[in-house]
Amino acid sequence: MPEKGDDTATAGEHDDNQQPEKQEFNAPESQEELDRIIQKRIERERAKFSDYDDLAAKARKLEELEESKKTDEQRRDEERETLRKQLADLEEKLSLKDREVLKTRIASSKGVPVSALTGTTEDELLASADELLDWRGKQDRLPGYVPTAGTGNPNPQVSSLDSGRERARATQKQVS
């Protein structure tokens, strides 16, 4: 540290009483002067990264050198690990597709929407479909529930099969 009374400070040291010099800002007076200032700033920034290409080339050479030092066994281990990861990804995708096919098959056989089924195994999906069918059957039997309410049809249809029979009978009566 400088002694008392010594106004010169070495690099990196500063005197608490001494304030840094403030440079006064002078606005550029012309476009040429502004362009010159900007060009100087660009050159300073480019100088910071002037050795980038050289460093990138050295990094590539280092990677090549490290790769060449690897033994055949290390390369095989890396290849095996890559293949294991790919196999795991493919097995997961296949499992998802199998589950989608199973879900679609169960939904179509039970007559329920695919999106309403939950579960991952066949038993879970079947149980989910059965629960949904039971729930739908209970909705039809609720007191005060009229499936044709608001349709203008006072006679509710029991099933499409029953309504088909009724239409057939009515048609036969008209023909006779």
Side-chain angles (χ1 to χ4, degrees), residues 140 147-148 153 155-166:
D140 290 342
T148 58
N153 184 357
N155 300 323
Q157 294 179 335
V158 178
S159 72
S160 61
L161 206 62
D162 290 339
S163 64
R165 285 186 192 126
E166 289 176 24

Side-chain angles (χ1 to χ4, degrees), residues 27-102:
E29 293 179 10
S30 67
Q31 182 65 42
E32 291 79 23
E33 188 177 348
L34 178 62
D35 292 344
R36 184 183 48 79
I37 293 169
I38 291 173
Q39 189 59 39
K40 282 183 181 178
R41 178 68 177 130
I42 291 171
E43 289 171 4
R44 284 195 312 261
E45 284 302 309
R46 285 185 179 155
K48 289 181 185 178
F49 302 104
S50 63
D51 60 345
Y52 175 79
D53 292 333
D54 186 37
L55 291 174
K58 287 179 182 178
R60 281 191 295 275
K61 285 181 183 178
L62 178 63
E63 288 175 4
E64 290 171 4
L65 181 63
E66 287 176 353
E67 187 65 31
S68 68
K69 287 182 180 179
K70 288 182 181 178
T71 65
D72 288 338
E73 187 176 330
Q74 287 174 323
R75 286 190 190 107
R76 283 192 301 267
D77 288 345
E78 287 177 358
E79 288 176 16
R80 271 190 231 119
E81 186 60 31
T82 302
L83 290 173
R84 281 187 188 118
K85 287 179 183 176
Q86 289 175 349
L87 179 62
D89 289 344
L90 290 173
E91 285 175 342
E92 183 179 344
K93 288 178 183 177
L94 180 60
S95 175
L96 288 173
K97 291 294 181 188
D98 285 346
R99 224 175 298 143
E100 288 176 20
V101 167
L102 178 64

Side-chain angles (χ1 to χ4, degrees), residues 110-123:
K110 295 284 189 168
V112 296
V114 174
S115 60
L117 295 179
T118 58
T120 54
T121 66
E122 184 173 8
D123 292 337

